Every structure is written in C-alpha cells, then in structure tokens.
Amino acid sequence: MVADSKNPAKLTFGDQEIDLPVYSPVLGPDVLDIRKLYAQGDVFTFDPGFTSTASCESAITFIDGDKGELLYRGYPIDQLAENSHFIEVCYLLLYGELPTPAQLDEFEPRVTRHTMLHEQMHNFFSGFRRDAHPMAIITGVMGALSSFYHDSTDVNDPWQREVASIRMIAKMPTIAAWAYKYSIGQPFVYPRNELDYASNFLHMCFAVPAEEYNVDPIVARAMDRIFTLHADHEQNASTSTVRLAGSSGANPFACIAAGIACLWGPAHGGANEAALNMLREIGTVDRIPEFIERAKDKNDPFRLMGFGHRVYKNFDPRAKVMKESADEVLGLLGIENNPTLQVAIELERIALTDPYFIDRKLYPNVDFYSGIILDAIGFPTSMFTPIFALARTVGWIAQWKEMIADPTQKIGRPRQLYTGAKHRDYLDIENR
Ligand code: CMC
C-alpha cells in the first residue's frame, strides 16, 4: 500500500470491535481498508454500483467531482487539451511522465509502425452483416486480435504486455475506421503513417481511393482533443470491466474487448450517440419543455442524455473544453445555425436554470458536446461510441498494465447480499 496509514477506524458490530486500517491517499478522501473484515467479523459490506468502494490503488487519473477537476498523472485536463496532443498524452498515461523530445521521437513511430491490421482480418470484417453496429464489429475484431497476434498474449511477460499495448493503441483507429467503411460499403483505406494519429483516423474514415482527400487541420485538432479528453477516467464502468477481466489473467485483447462491450451502454459511452439522437428527436426548440417535463417525471424512464455524471457534481471539466472546441469547429464549418445545435443550446440554457437540474447538480457532460462536434465533422451517430472506445483504449491499457504489475492484485470476486430462496429439496415434476 503506497498511501499513508493513519490510526485505524473502529467498527462496532454486535459484540465485536474491529480495527479497520485507514489510508490517506495523495488526493481525495481517506480510505478504510475492509479487506480483513469478513475474516475478522464474518460480515460483508453492501455497496451496489461501488459508490463508496475503492477497488484498487491507482496512480493514473484523479477526479475531484466537487471541484470539477480531472488530472492525468497530475496534469489538469484543460492544460493537456490546450497544449498537448494525443500521442503525448498516451505516453503520459502509459509511462507516468510527459515524454522528452527524444522519448517522443522513439514512441511515435513505435505506434505508427503497428497501425496496419493483419491482411487476413479483411475476411473477418466481411463476416459481419452490412448493417452491423460498428461497436459490434469493433468488440468482435478487438477480441479477434488475440487469434492473430499470439506473440503478445502472455500477460506474465512484460515485453509481450508492452507489444500488445502498442498494437491496440495503433490498430484501434484502423479497426474503427474500417468498421465505418464497411457499414457504408466503401473500400477500406489503409493507414498513412506520415499523418498524425487524429489525421490518420480522419483520412481512413473519409478518404476514398478515387480522389485526393486532405484533412483539415482544425478538424484534426478537434478530433485530437476529443481523443485526449476521453483517454482515461479513473475506475469507471468500462475500466473496472477491463480490470475485472484482466484479474483472471485473460489476454490483453480479450480484456480490452470486454471494456469496449461495457462502454457501449447508453449510460456510459453510448450516451454521446443517445444525446444526439435525443436532440434530433426533440427536433425544434418549441418541443424542449415537453422533454424537460418527461425527464423530471419519475414514472417516465426518459432522461436527458448528455446530462449528469456519477462523479462530477459541479461541472464536467471535459465539457468545458469540448464546448470551446464545438464553437471552433462549427464556426469553421459554418453551421452555427444548424437546427440540432439550436436545440442543444436552448436545452443547455433551460436545464442550467431549472431547479430540478440545479438541485440534482445535473450539468451537461462531455458527451453532450462531443456528439455535436462529431456530427459536424460528418460522422454518423453510430460512430460516436466507437470514437470514444478508440480514445479510451490507452486508458484501459494503462490501467490494465498497472493492475498486472500490482503485487497485491487478486482475481476480482465481489460478494452479495443474498435474497433468494433458502435451502429446499428438489420436487419431482408431478409434485410441483
Ligand atoms: N435526466 C434527468 N434526471 C436525471 C438525469 C438525467 N440525465 N441524471 C440523473 N437524474 C436524476 C435522477 O432521476 C435522480 O433523481 P432523484 O434524486 O429525484 O431520484 C438524481 O438525478 C440522481 O440520479 P442518479 O441516477 O442517482 O445519478 P447517478 O450518479 O447514478 O447517474 C448518470 C449518473 C450519468 C448514469 C446519469 O446522470 C444519467 O443517466 N445521465 C444520462 C446518461 C449520460 O449522459 N451518461 C454519460 C455520462 S458521461 C460519459 C462517461 O463518463 O461515461
């Protein structure tokens, strides 16, 4: 345990008093160590959704939800989004420090050298139905990498872990772009290693072999920022899924595929797609009050997608940067008057002044704005979550590597509060 230890907390339970070690982390609230609780007190803790449970030690990302702060290895996200670029952020997340010029010169080509997919993977793509959701394809293809790259699946070998990590970061843009190309019936565009990471992805998505395609640097910058802002986010659902899958010793491609599957859900990575679909469903500004009323109605499952966050209860710092980026891109593309955007602006204004949203600290999150930018760039909504997955891959990998290297790591195995039937004997069918 790296964190400082304090005087233990005392838990009185029945006629027992149990000492619980207390740790003070570098940032954030103190943490009670309950690992010995069951052995000492024959009692479990109950915490569905893990709202009060630290599942691991981590030195990668820190969120202060009340202050609206997100740090990657100590660096505030807005400084990184403003001054850095995604490949540098990848290096930071993976190795803990910003690279020196020499380190960056060595790292960048190490990634770009792995951008191509095994040629046989072409056949793998064509096995999917033409109308398959790109997330379905990406989940499958990422898992399938383990069947193509046998020399990087041994999790106990640090060199193989490193190679697998670089392969996944390098190949995700190709996989995501090809999933898109497949869905629209266009030929796959191969990676171009002279382009930066974001430009290469845009090129693979929007170029066609029949003509020249030049990536707009402002669009590439916005794309790079989207990648940076989504790169890591503490122990969220998909990252915890990657760690849980990895805790059994599963190979890295399988673990990241598990993370992608989890990210797909509309309460997590799927929210950017759901947010834009919702804006389109609302359609015009005059229909907003009807949807606000639905969001407040406890008997209606409808929620304002792109609003609220489990951890940020002040504002989402990523949303602030993303809003600036949205203004820049929409200005460049000359589409400030687009009706979806007008609905978004008015919805944001109403929600930020409505007591229901203020009392519950529901602010627009990163997905509210990222969907607007991606739509303006020309991506269909079905590509929004794949782009999130592409960006988050480095965070999942950094967290997975940290877990594998942690000597206290164990297979994840939560307990339960059982509410089913007590022991009962089997009845033959005629007696039921
Ligand atoms: N619209 C309307 N009401 C909401 C919303 C919303 N988007 N989010 C939360 N509430 C209400 C909820 O009904 C509850 O009200 P009450 O206290 O009266 O019962 C209160 O706010 C607290 O909600 P909660 O479900 O306990 O909050 P949570 O922290 O468990 O949920 C959340 C966080 C992100 C799942 C939720 O806010 C949500 O479903 N938002 C929409 C989906 C979304 O945009 N997700 C993207 C998150 S950012 C990307 C990422 O990091 O993955």
Side-chain angles (χ1 to χ4, degrees):
M1 177 65 63
V2 174
D4 288 342
S5 193
K6 290 176 136 182
N7 286 336
K10 299 214 177 289
L11 173 74
T12 309
F13 174 65
D15 54 2
Q16 326 175 59
E17 191 175 84
I18 303 167
D19 278 355
L20 300 174
V22 181
Y23 306 117
S24 291
V26 175
L27 293 169
D30 285 349
V31 173
L32 303 187
D33 182 345
I34 57 163
R35 278 178 291 183
K36 301 242 163 67
L37 191 60
Y38 178 50
Q40 287 177 1
D42 196 27
V43 61
F44 295 149
T45 54
F46 182 55
D47 186 18
F50 308 115
T51 52
S52 298
T53 298
S55 59
C56 60
E57 272 187 70
S58 184
I60 302 173
T61 300
F62 176 77
I63 301 172
D64 185 327
D66 293 327
K67 276 203 227 154
E69 186 173 65
L70 166 62
L71 308 176
Y72 290 170
R73 301 281 190 187
Y75 295 102
I77 191 66
D78 48 336
Q79 290 185 24
L80 292 170
E82 189 59 39
N83 305 310
S84 185
H85 55 88
F86 184 65
I87 282 290
E88 190 173 74
V89 168
C90 288
Y91 188 99
L92 174 69
L93 290 170
L94 290 173
Y95 307 115
E97 295 296 336
L98 287 169
T100 62
Q103 287 167 333
L104 191 62
D105 282 352
E106 184 276 330
F107 179 67
E108 196 157 11
R110 194 143 54 88
V111 173
T112 43
R113 221 176 294 128
H114 284 284
T115 48
M116 290 204 301
L117 295 178
H118 193 292
E119 196 56 17
Q120 239 179 299
M121 292 205 89
H122 262 262
N123 308 335
F124 203 85
F125 277 82
S126 49
F128 286 96
R129 260 174 67 137
R130 182 64 71 188
D131 59 355
H133 194 289
M135 281 301 278
I137 300 181
I138 293 169
T139 314
V141 173
M142 177 53 82
L145 289 184
S146 51
S147 67
F148 283 84
Y149 299 102
H150 296 140
D151 59 346
S152 54
T153 51
D154 179 357
V155 298
N156 298 314
D157 178 344
W159 185 84
Q160 294 203 27
R161 295 205 295 265
E162 180 66 18
V163 175
S165 304
I166 299 294
R167 278 188 170 141
M168 287 187 278
I169 294 165
K171 292 182 198 307
M172 257 308 257
T174 316
I175 296 171
W178 285 16
Y180 172 53
K181 286 297 198 191
Y182 184 73
S183 71
I184 55 171
Q186 287 186 1
F188 297 143
V189 175
Y190 283 85
R192 295 265 300 269
N193 289 351
E194 78 278 15
L195 297 175
D196 64 74
Y197 193 88
S199 301
N200 178 46
F201 174 62
L202 290 165
H203 188 264
M204 286 191 289
C205 288
F206 297 120
V208 288
E211 60 189 40
E212 190 67 19
Y213 175 80
N214 293 315
V215 179
D216 188 305
I218 296 188
V219 173
R221 178 82 189 113
M223 192 79 252
D224 191 87
R225 272 200 187 145
I226 289 180
F227 293 161
T228 294
L229 294 174
H230 287 87
D232 197 41
H233 215 226
E234 277 191 1
Q235 308 310 319
N236 58 82
S238 57
T239 302
S240 299
T241 301
V242 170
R243 281 186 179 257
L244 199 53
S247 75
S248 73
N251 78 67
F253 305 106
C255 295
I256 302 304
I260 298 171
C262 175
L263 187 80
W264 195 357
H268 192 6
N272 50 14
E273 180 175 349
L276 202 85
N277 288 337
M278 176 196 76
L279 294 176
R280 290 205 177 121
E281 193 193 340
I282 297 175
T284 47
V285 167
D286 58 301
R287 295 192 63 209
I288 292 175
E290 176 197 327
F291 283 82
I292 296 267
E293 283 319 305
R294 284 188 59 196
K296 294 178 186 175
D297 182 354
K298 288 277 157 266
N299 299 317
D300 188 329
F302 175 78
R303 284 189 163 195
L304 279 192
M305 300 314 284
F307 282 78
H309 199 274
R310 168 59 63 82
V311 181
Y312 296 119
K313 300 299 179 194
N314 184 340
F315 66 92
D316 179 342
R318 304 166 302 170
K320 221 169 142 185
V321 181
M322 202 62 94
K323 184 172 162 48
E324 284 165 24
S325 212
D327 292 343
E328 207 173 285
V329 172
L330 297 169
L332 168 84
L333 301 173
I335 45 176
E336 298 100 321
N337 294 327
N338 153 311
T340 312
L341 184 65
Q342 308 228 309
V343 172
I345 293 168
E346 184 58 10
L347 185 64
E348 178 197 28
R349 192 192 64 75
I350 295 180
L352 290 177
T353 49
D354 186 308
Y356 174 92
F357 293 90
I358 295 172
D359 294 350
R360 289 167 182 75
K361 302 188 171 176
L362 299 171
Y363 299 86
N365 58 46
V366 66
D367 289 328
F368 185 68
Y369 300 106
S370 65
I372 295 168
I373 300 179
L374 293 173
D375 180 52
I377 293 176
F379 284 107
T381 49
S382 61
M383 276 303 288
F384 292 4
T385 317
I387 289 168
F388 189 164
L390 187 175
R392 184 56 60 84
T393 296
V394 65
W396 290 327
I397 291 169
Q399 301 269 353
W400 171 81
K401 285 178 85 182
E402 182 178 64
M403 180 200 68
I404 300 280
D406 180 350
T408 64
Q409 183 263 327
K410 286 179 173 201
I411 186 165
R413 186 20 177 121
R415 297 293 190 153
Q416 63 177 11
L417 190 163
Y418 179 66
T419 55
K422 286 192 176 151
H423 180 279
R424 47 185 175 167
D425 292 323
Y426 179 80
L427 284 179
D428 289 333
I429 196 159
E430 59 275 13
N431 297 326
R432 288 176 213 160

